[in-house]
């Protein structure tokens, strides 16, 4: 095995990912928002208008992306996930309800995870990876990822290149780390009810910021793991800015691949770090308060 095989001879790698959250993060705030017509339409724009537009953009640049889809969204729109796979992209697990796992009991987290898994199974979608809703995985999440036969997670922040999550006697999982600086939510999310953000940044500024990170990732050999949301980046000037960013990376020799492909290579690459996934044992004399 050659060193740094996950880069396959490129100076760095990029994964273009889309979380098709649609109505779920709003309904997770309270199902009363189901009757809020403006809010529902704002969220439905993602799968209904943003996704087809972004799929066309990806065709233009010839890059395969990874779409993390909550099971609820795939169930309500049964042609959505198959249509993405048909276009040559990856669909991955993004919880069922998009409620944060950190707010659920372990039993509730498992039930939600399994419910999404069953939706994708019924649609013939082959899953390899998982991203926690709001990235809020728990120390229980890797066990579920293994139990359901998946190979990677993309929710944590322990490095800026892939690493392996290891636990005694268990097969390792690939972690493709994320960060808020590479998330369109912080740049573009604006919604008054419920308040999910109050940012409408210029795509020119966002493009400049992400180009800087792409350049620096080449210097450090990192993974540029971009998280976008079709209800946000599916708006016209934002889609065009993302296309410019991908073209910029392609011109400079970045590897572009799906999360599934990067994870498979990361599991084989012995130069990458291994991090234990067990929870910290915290000294109660130092930290007496549980909450
Ligand atoms: Zn999400």
């Amino acid at each position: 095995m050659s060193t740094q095989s996950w880069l396959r001879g490129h100076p760095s790698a990029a994964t273009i990912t889309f979380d098709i959250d649609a109505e779920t993060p709003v309904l997770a705030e309270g199902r009363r928002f189901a009757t809020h017509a403006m809010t529902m339409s704002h969220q439905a724009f993602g799968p209904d208008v943003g996704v087809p537009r972004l799929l066309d953009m990806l065709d233009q640049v010839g890059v395969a992306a990874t779409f993390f889809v909550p099971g609820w969204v795939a169930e309500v729109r049964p042609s959505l996930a198959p249509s993405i796979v048909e276009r040559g992209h990856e669909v991955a697990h993004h919880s069922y309800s998009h409620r944060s796992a950190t707010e659920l009991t372990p039993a509730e987290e498992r039930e939600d995870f399994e419910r999404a898994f069953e939706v994708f199974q019924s649609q013939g979608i082959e899953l390899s990876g998982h991203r926690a809703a709001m990235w809020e995985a728990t120390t229980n999440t890797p066990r579920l990822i293994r139990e359901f036969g998946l190979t990677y997670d993309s929710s944590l922040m322990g490095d800026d290149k892939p690493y392996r999550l290891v636990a005694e006697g268990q097969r390792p999982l690939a972690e493709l780390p994320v960060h808020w600086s590479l998330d369109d939510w912080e740049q573009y999310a604006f919604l008054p009810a419920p308040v999910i953000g109050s940012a409408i940044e210029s795509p020119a500024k966002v493009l400049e910021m992400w180009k800087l990170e792409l350049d620096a990732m080449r210097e450090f050999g990192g993974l540029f793991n971009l998280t976008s949301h079709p209800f946000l980046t599916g708006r016209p000037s934002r889609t065009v800015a993302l296309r410019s960013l991908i073209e910029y990376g392609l011109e400079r020799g970045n590897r572009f691949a799906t999360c599934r492909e990067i994870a498979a290579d990361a599991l084989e690459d012995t130069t990458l770090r291994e991090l234990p996934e067990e929870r910290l044992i915290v000294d109660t004399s130092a930290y007496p308060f549980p909450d």
Side-chain angles (χ1 to χ4, degrees):
M1 177 65 55
S2 63
T3 57
Q4 295 291 312
S5 64
W6 78 277
L7 289 172
R8 299 209 174 205
H10 297 261
S12 74
T15 38
I16 303 300
T17 77
F18 298 97
D19 296 2
I20 313 183
D21 294 346
E23 297 89 347
T24 58
V26 168
L27 295 173
E29 295 284 325
R31 65 173 186 274
R32 68 187 181 282
F33 289 109
T35 59
H36 198 310
M38 176 273 282
T39 289
M40 286 294 107
S41 67
H42 177 260
Q43 299 305 117
F45 177 95
D48 299 346
V49 181
V51 169
R53 179 174 291 159
L54 291 162
L55 287 171
D56 287 346
M57 182 276 285
L58 291 166
D59 279 350
Q60 289 169 2
V61 293
V63 160
T66 301
F67 292 77
F68 292 90
V69 187
W72 185 90
V73 175
E75 193 171 55
V76 168
R77 296 175 175 85
S79 63
L80 178 68
S83 73
I84 291 167
V85 172
E86 271 166 31
R87 300 279 289 265
H89 304 285
E90 177 189 1
V91 166
H93 189 297
H94 192 39
S95 84
Y96 178 81
S97 63
H98 209 275
R99 285 177 297 157
S100 289
T102 51
E103 302 295 319
L104 303 176
T105 66
E108 287 168 339
E109 184 186 358
R110 193 185 183 288
E111 191 184 329
D112 184 90
F113 197 104
E114 184 171 22
R115 197 167 171 185
F117 191 84
E118 283 171 356
V119 170
F120 291 115
Q121 210 170 28
S122 74
Q123 297 180 353
I125 304 292
E126 235 175 88
L127 300 174
S128 297
H130 165 266
R131 173 173 285 166
M134 312 305 289
W135 297 337
E136 292 182 336
T138 71
T139 48
N140 192 46
T141 308
R143 263 172 263 167
L144 291 171
I145 295 172
R146 278 198 196 88
E147 181 187 335
F148 287 88
L150 311 186
T151 59
Y152 75 87
D153 177 66
S154 181
S155 314
L156 307 182
M157 305 191 184
D159 204 333
D160 50 23
K161 54 183 70 171
Y163 55 98
R164 283 187 294 280
L165 290 172
V166 293
E168 192 152 351
Q170 304 290 325
R171 66 180 167 89
L173 296 176
E175 176 61 43
L176 308 187
V178 292
H179 192 260
W180 291 288
S181 58
L182 290 179
D183 185 348
D184 68 346
W185 196 290
E186 279 58 43
Q187 307 304 323
Y188 299 142
F190 179 96
L191 190 64
V195 179
I196 62 164
S198 52
I200 301 186
E201 295 292 335
S202 162
K205 182 215 93 172
V206 177
L207 179 59
E208 182 192 4
M209 196 173 79
W210 288 347
K211 277 180 173 175
L212 286 170
E213 192 68 1
L214 204 55
D215 288 339
M217 284 291 187
R218 281 198 302 281
E219 183 173 335
F220 294 103
L223 176 65
F224 182 94
N225 188 16
L226 186 70
T227 300
S228 294
H229 299 77
F231 76 90
L232 300 171
T233 286
R235 298 280 165 185
S237 59
R238 300 168 181 175
T239 299
V240 169
L242 178 56
R243 183 179 63 200
S244 300
L245 179 80
I246 296 170
E247 287 168 343
Y248 181 84
L250 287 168
E251 283 161 13
R252 282 156 186 79
N254 280 89
R255 178 185 183 194
F256 281 83
T258 61
C259 290
R260 175 187 283 145
E261 292 169 314
I262 297 287
D265 287 346
L267 285 169
E268 299 296 324
D269 189 330
T270 52
T271 66
L272 294 172
R273 295 168 70 211
E274 295 197 333
L275 296 179
E277 67 189 42
E278 16 343 313
R279 66 177 70 192
L280 286 175
I281 307 297
V282 179
D283 178 355
T284 53
S285 68
Y287 299 100
F289 306 111
D291 297 319

